[in-house]
Amino acid sequence: MRDQLLFISAENPFPQDSGGKLRTGNILNIVLAKYDVDLLTYRGSGTDTAETAIPSLTVHEVKRTMSYRKAMLRSLYTWRNCSYMSHADVDMKEKIRELCGGHAYSHVFISHSLLGSCIDIVRSCLPGAVIVADAHNYESGLSAQLAGRKKGLARAFYSLNALWTRRDELRLMNKVNLLLTTSAQDGLAFKALSFRNSSKVHVIPNFIRMEEYRTNSIPPKEPWIILPGNMNYFPNINAALYFSRDIYPLIKARVPGIKWYIVGRDVHPDVAALAGKDPSIIITGYVDSVAEYIRKAQVVIAPLKEGSGTRLKILEAWALKTPVVSSSKGAEGLLYEHGANIMIADDPAAFAASVTGLLQDHEKGIVLADRAYHTLLANYEAESVRDKLLNLV
């Protein structure tokens, strides 16, 4: 009989329509090879129940009552990060106790460092369980980046938020048995918090399952560039606005017929407004398959100036053999060589020139994308990380 594992995630990974859900779902898929898993998550309106009919997986959902506004208010008197995930214990506490009371879980997997407040509940029920946390991002660093863009009271609030998050990340390191990060950079940031706990930190890079991206019919490339991602995530919002203001006009001047697709859910009003100003900008909102848009595009862009972890959308572009132009921040944490498997540009003129060059030289794009594809297979495909993950967890 196999051991049982409790997997706690604020986001139901089904359907896998965002970078965070891709990572959660891909890790869950590997863990299911070793354990019988109870997944505890929030109930989502878009949950595909067919996808959750997986052997050895039982899904337990709770209603989400902790909105972002409530979380912001609660953070002021609990001194905790303002993300709703940081306050998930409010909704999940009773279900965690129920599940832990009825099952002899040998391991508990916490899918996001912001869910660290759930660990005390688990420990009170299962003092001997091995607890593994997957950080996803170095959240205190992200909070500090957000604070740097604010002014007045908002800047003060988010600066405090960064301090609270840093404190909670240190507590997380003290409480877990293992802490997984998506990149060496994030791993070093966590180790710097606590040398005593540094041996707990291990890098499991973002990865994908190639069988999800293979197809018998490959559509022709269209004269598109594409920015994929959750468009309510502040690094993506700022990237879209920066690209629209400083880079896209330079590209349009050289490639008049170009179209720019922004593909992702939860579109922020500032991003939505871009399409009203320029008919060559198409904002899709949520789509069933971002991959279909990436596959058709001539270039994927990642003009990020902020962020943490690694970009799953770049890995998807590599899997779909679509060339990528990124800032250094956008490609941070990935194994890349400028001009070999990706184009890196950190100023508007260079970014525009790289995109334009790929739009006008299809052979160059094919070579770049092919090299990126082989980088992916060697380092970021599920089989390349499977054994390491299962040996840890």
Side-chain angles (χ1 to χ4, degrees), residues 227 231 233-248 260 262 267-268 270-272 274 281 283 301-306:
L227 174 62
M231 284 302 143
Y233 178 49
F234 83 89
N236 290 341
I237 297 169
N238 293 334
L241 299 179
Y242 159 62
F243 185 81
S244 173
R245 182 184 64 248
D246 296 340
I247 303 173
Y248 192 48
W260 172 24
I262 300 175
V267 180
H268 189 276
D270 290 348
V271 176
L274 297 177
I281 300 175
I283 298 175
I301 58 169
L304 283 82
K305 292 190 169 185
E306 304 124 329

Side-chain angles (χ1 to χ4, degrees), residues 318 334-344 368 371 375:
W318 288 3
L334 297 175
L335 295 172
Y336 69 82
E337 182 182 347
H338 168 62
N341 56 9
I342 195 170
M343 300 300 294
I344 300 294
L368 197 77
R371 290 172 179 165
T375 301

Side-chain angles (χ1 to χ4, degrees), residues 217-286:
S217 60
I218 300 176
K221 293 290 188 182
E222 303 284 352
W224 300 349
I225 55 178
I226 179 173
L227 174 62
N230 181 348
M231 284 302 143
N232 201 30
Y233 178 49
F234 83 89
N236 290 341
I237 297 169
N238 293 334
L241 299 179
Y242 159 62
F243 185 81
S244 173
R245 182 184 64 248
D246 296 340
I247 303 173
Y248 192 48
L250 302 177
I251 297 171
K252 286 182 66 181
R254 301 175 195 174
V255 189
I258 191 65
K259 290 185 179 181
W260 172 24
Y261 277 76
I262 300 175
V263 183
R265 60 183 183 137
D266 301 332
V267 180
H268 189 276
D270 290 348
V271 176
L274 297 177
K277 300 173 184 176
D278 186 339
S280 73
I281 300 175
I282 297 96
I283 298 175
T284 66
Y286 174 83

Side-chain angles (χ1 to χ4, degrees), residues 23-45:
R23 179 172 176 85
T24 300
N26 288 345
I27 286 179
L28 178 60
N29 182 267
I30 289 179
V31 168
L32 281 165
K34 185 175 180 179
Y35 297 95
D36 291 328
V37 176
D38 282 321
L39 168 64
L40 174 60
T41 186
Y42 278 125
R43 184 175 300 121
S45 58

Side-chain angles (χ1 to χ4, degrees), residues 69 118 153 197 245-246 292 294 307 317 344 364 366 373:
R69 185 178 295 274
C118 295
L153 288 176
N197 290 306
R245 182 184 64 248
D246 296 340
E292 292 309 309
I294 295 175
I344 300 294
K364 180 179 180 181
I366 290 171
Y373 178 78

